[in-house]
Amino acid sequence: MPRAGDGGKAPARWLGTGLLGLFLLPVTLSLEVSVGKATNIYAVNGTEILLPCTFSSCFGFEDLHFRWTYNSSDTFKILIEGTVKNEKSDPKVTLKDDDRITLVGSTKEKMNNISVVLRDLEFSDTGKYTCHVKNPKENNLQHHATIFLQVVDRLEEVDNTVTLIILAVVGGVIGLLILILLIKKLVIFILKKTREKKKECLVSSSGNDNTENGLPGSKAEEKPPSKV
């Protein structure tokens, strides 16, 4: 049973829960960084690769700071670093460690894109590439996302033979089912027409029999006119 004093604790509990929700709300709507759905990518040695990165913030940004870092089992380095003044300006590069890397993103028109392109790939470029973002407008809140790059001699061709066979079998089964349904409908239609014809024949035959037997209402009942 409720005890004395519980009535005062309940509002306080609800107030505490509400304040906690208000505290967590900005966190759930705050800075986010994404490198896309594919967090593992492959590229051929000697080619170039796009390393995607976008960010979002419900509170906007000012003097936003970003950087790309490279990390392997024995190496860590900052590849490129820069700032974005506001939502109407493009990123400005302040540091670039590798001439092979180029910033290609734009933050105008709410694109919030700070992707980079890495050219003339080498096998030693294999490793983790992390996109870091810090937003002073959100009390220097930071967020990052990582993508793993594997540089290979050549890309393996995916064998789609099994997939094609499965699709062909499924397509054949579906086609067969459709054909069976069409044949079933055709047979039902023919049987229906056949029944209707038989019914008409029976009615016609019954009328002819009545006429020949001189039943009332038939033409055989009529008497020839008498001779004068």
Side-chain angles (χ1 to χ4, degrees):
M1 294 179 62
R3 294 176 298 176
D6 286 351
K9 291 181 179 180
R13 193 181 303 116
W14 284 107
L15 180 60
T17 304
L19 290 175
L20 179 61
L22 290 174
F23 176 76
L24 293 176
L25 182 61
V27 176
T28 58
L29 300 176
S30 59
L31 183 66
E32 292 289 339
V33 179
S34 172
V35 291
K37 294 181 179 180
T39 54
N40 290 277
I41 57 177
Y42 297 86
V44 177
N45 181 42
T47 63
E48 64 180 34
I49 188 69
L50 173 70
L51 302 175
C53 181
T54 58
F55 66 90
S56 62
S57 173
C58 294
F59 301 99
F61 59 89
E62 289 180 359
D63 298 322
L64 181 135
H65 181 269
F66 69 90
R67 72 179 186 273
W68 275 93
T69 60
Y70 166 76
N71 186 20
S72 65
S73 57
D74 56 354
T75 306
F76 175 83
K77 60 182 178 180
I78 298 175
L79 300 174
I80 192 170
E81 198 168 2
T83 59
V84 187
K85 186 176 182 181
N86 52 48
E87 298 175 4
K88 296 181 180 180
S89 60
D90 270 331
K92 181 181 179 181
V93 177
T94 58
L95 172 71
K96 187 164 68 168
D97 181 70
D98 195 331
D99 291 334
R100 298 179 302 146
I101 195 165
T102 305
L103 179 69
V104 295
S106 173
T107 50
K108 289 183 177 179
E109 298 179 356
K110 298 182 179 181
M111 294 178 66
N112 296 350
N113 191 327
I114 46 177
S115 303
V116 295
V117 169
L118 182 60
R119 299 186 302 273
D120 302 326
L121 290 172
E122 303 171 355
F123 291 112
S124 58
D125 291 324
T126 295
K128 294 179 180 180
Y129 291 81
T130 304
C131 178
H132 304 261
V133 177
K134 181 172 71 174
N135 188 12
K137 195 172 182 179
E138 297 182 69
N139 295 322
N140 289 323
L141 184 66
Q142 300 185 47
H143 202 270
H144 67 271
T146 301
I147 190 169
F148 182 80
L149 170 65
Q150 177 74 47
V151 181
V152 295
D153 185 41
R154 62 185 180 87
L155 294 176
E156 296 182 0
E157 295 183 2
V158 179
D159 188 3
N160 294 323
T161 305
V162 176
T163 304
L164 292 175
I165 292 174
I166 294 174
L167 290 175
V169 171
V170 173
V173 171
I174 293 174
L176 181 61
L177 291 174
I178 293 174
L179 180 61
I180 291 172
L181 289 174
L182 290 175
I183 292 174
K184 181 181 178 181
K185 286 188 175 183
L186 181 61
V187 170
I188 292 173
F189 176 78
I190 293 173
L191 291 174
K192 184 179 178 181
K193 289 295 182 181
T194 303
R195 290 194 201 99
E196 290 178 354
K197 278 191 174 183
K198 286 183 177 180
K199 189 175 180 181
E200 290 176 359
C201 288
L202 289 173
V203 172
S204 176
S205 175
S206 175
N208 291 337
D209 291 343
N210 291 341
T211 302
E212 292 173 359
N213 294 329
L215 294 175
S218 66
K219 291 184 179 179
E221 189 184 11
E222 295 179 1
K223 297 180 180 180
S226 59
K227 293 183 181 181
V228 179

